């Protein structure tokens, strides 16, 4: 975080400062900000956020022991540290992020990119950050820091030297993206796709469209919206941008896109294509596995070239990326038995993309195996969408369909209904049971996809399989 006095901190968050020790209102604080006392370092700011299972106020002493210089609290705590008392620690975190980013932006050198979409946010964020980091200091989220806590914590990592801030905006309800993006008013807003991920929280696909369009509305006037030309709902956000004085730049596979991919070839070692940007073309070989990541790369290229990076540099930097993120199409195992661990998140769209990738990268004499768990947060669409996954797995000719967990059972039942009743489809209640089965079932030449939502926990099953067949 940039250096602020305790008085400036208190004003930024609308709180009351209570001093302790040798501290004065003019004492400078410049350490990192966090809600986890274990991650606080010397000179840091600890935000005592109440939680569902515990309360940050119980860990103020631990934060002080790790070097905290200030604690932001909702009530006074008996600890030898200056405290800033606020009505809401989460709102104070957002207010502080807004203040810090605005202060750095006023210097004139900071450009801000916001990313949202039902799928692909984290991969696109990582690809774009890789391109921009060679241009200057770039701050981007760790893992999927994209909620009301993670997004502000990322913003608070900017310094006076930061040239680019890449923010990822996730949401499970209307208004969340507007609130988070409104903290920084991005210069560039990327909308990847509108799908059924989190549809249960939004209340349906149309509500999801309106929620994702909140990013376009948050882009500062004169800024740029980068929209997926191949997604009709995303394309329908263009009039919103025009109304607000925000330019539009299109990416996609169709000929109308300004940033386009042609000649896409998917292999087990990666995906190749030819990228065209405003008439200039260059071959790109992505080591990140899966055809769907081509769209994420196009979105990153669209943003980076709009920010002044050449297509040549974009391609060269993207080709150095070996893995988008842990548990996202992560290759494990060996050439003998290849495990693809993609069990950090799952929606109907990402599930379909992963299954298609499995089919595309499996060659003659090799066998496809899909280990599938539940997709969460689908609300009233859950039954139908789990049925669709089971049907798709059968239609793609997956040789072994291993369904894990009661919430995913409909995938198994649909696969059985579609003809996978002679041992091709099996069901296990737990990951341990599935693991025991797979240890004896998998053989040389198998290509294994492990796919589920985070809550299903199959990412750890994928790790175990990767170790066992390494």
């Amino acid at each position: 975080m940039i250096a602020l006095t305790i008085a400036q901190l208190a004003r930024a968050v609308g709180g009351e400062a209570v001093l302790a020790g040798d501290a004065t209102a003019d004492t400078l604080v410049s350490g990192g900000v966090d809600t986890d006392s274990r991650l606080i370092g010397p000179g840091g700011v600890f935000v005592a956020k109440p939680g569902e299972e515990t309360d940050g106020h119980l860990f103020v002493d631990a934060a002080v022991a790790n070097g905290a210089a200030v604690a932001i609290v909702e009530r006074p705590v008996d600890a030898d540290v200056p405290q800033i008392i606020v009505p809401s620690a989460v709102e104070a975190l957002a207010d502080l992020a807004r203040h810090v980013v605005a202060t750095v932006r006023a210097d004139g050198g900071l450009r801000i990119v916001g990313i949202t979409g039902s799928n692909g946010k984290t991969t696109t964020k990582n690809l774009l950050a890789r391109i921009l980091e060679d241009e200057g200091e770039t701050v981007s989220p760790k893992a999927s820091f994209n909620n009301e806590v993670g997004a502000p914590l990322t913003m608070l990592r900017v310094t006076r030297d930061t040239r680019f801030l890449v923010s990822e905006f996730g949401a499970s309800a209307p208004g969340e993206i507007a609130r988070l993006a409104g903290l920084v008013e991005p210069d560039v807003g990327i909308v990847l796709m509108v799908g059924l991920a989190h549809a249960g929280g939004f209340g349906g696909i149309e509500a999801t469209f309106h929620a994702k369009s909140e990013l376009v509305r948050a882009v500062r006037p004169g800024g740029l919206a980068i929209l997926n030309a191949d997604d009709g709902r995303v394309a329908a956000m263009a009039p919103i941008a025009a109304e607000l004085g925000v330019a539009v730049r299109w990416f996609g596979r169709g000929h109308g896109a300004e940033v386009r991919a042609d000649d896409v070839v998917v292999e087990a070692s990666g995906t190749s294509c030819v990228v065209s940007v405003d008439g200039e073309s260059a071959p790109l070989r992505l080591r990140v596995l899966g055809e769907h990541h081509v769209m994420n790369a196009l979105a990153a290229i669209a943003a980076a070239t709009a920010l002044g990076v050449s297509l040549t540099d974009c391609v060269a930097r993207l080709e150095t990326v070996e893995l988008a993120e842990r548990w996202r199409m992560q290759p494990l195992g060996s050439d003998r038995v290849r495990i693809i661990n993609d069990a950090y998140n799952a929606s109907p769209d990402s599930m379909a993309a992963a299954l298609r990738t499995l089919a595309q990268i499996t060659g003659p004499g090799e066998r496809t195996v899909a280990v599938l768990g539940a997709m969460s947060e689908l609300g009233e669409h859950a039954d139908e969408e789990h049925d669709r996954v089971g049907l798709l797995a059968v239609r793609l000719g997956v040789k072994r369909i291993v369904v894990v967990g009661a919430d995913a059972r409909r995938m198994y039942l649909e696969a059985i209904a579609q003809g996978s009743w002679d041992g091709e489809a099996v069901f296990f209640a737990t990951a341990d049971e599935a693991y025991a089965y797979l240890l004896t079932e998998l053989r040389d030449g198998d290509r294994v996809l492990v796919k589920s939502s985070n809550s299903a926990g199959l990412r750890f099953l994928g790790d175990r399989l990767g170790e066992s067949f390494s």
Side-chain angles (χ1 to χ4, degrees), residues 326-369:
R326 187 182 180 191
W327 299 317
R328 287 177 170 87
M329 298 302 286
Q330 181 180 6
L332 299 171
S334 63
D335 288 340
R336 186 170 63 87
V337 177
R338 175 63 65 196
I339 311 295
I340 304 167
N341 195 353
D342 193 32
Y344 190 83
N345 265 326
S347 68
D349 294 304
S350 70
M351 189 72 81
L355 283 168
R356 291 191 181 100
T357 298
L358 176 66
Q360 289 171 323
I361 67 170
T362 303
E366 298 175 343
R367 186 175 66 155
T368 51
V369 180

Side-chain angles (χ1 to χ4, degrees), residues 239-284:
I240 298 172
E243 183 181 324
L244 298 171
V246 172
V248 172
R249 186 167 172 82
W250 299 101
F251 71 95
R253 302 278 292 274
H255 290 293
E258 296 154 277
V259 181
R260 190 180 74 250
D262 295 301
D263 303 327
V264 177
V265 177
V266 182
E267 298 172 312
S269 58
T271 306
S272 61
C273 62
V274 176
V275 178
S276 299
V277 179
D278 299 326
E280 180 185 1
S281 297
L284 169 65

Side-chain angles (χ1 to χ4, degrees), residues 12-44:
V13 300
E16 175 190 355
V18 178
L19 301 175
D22 297 331
T24 70
D26 294 325
T27 297
L28 280 173
V29 180
S30 59
V33 181
D34 217 295
T35 58
D36 188 335
S37 62
R38 297 166 297 183
L39 301 180
I40 293 293

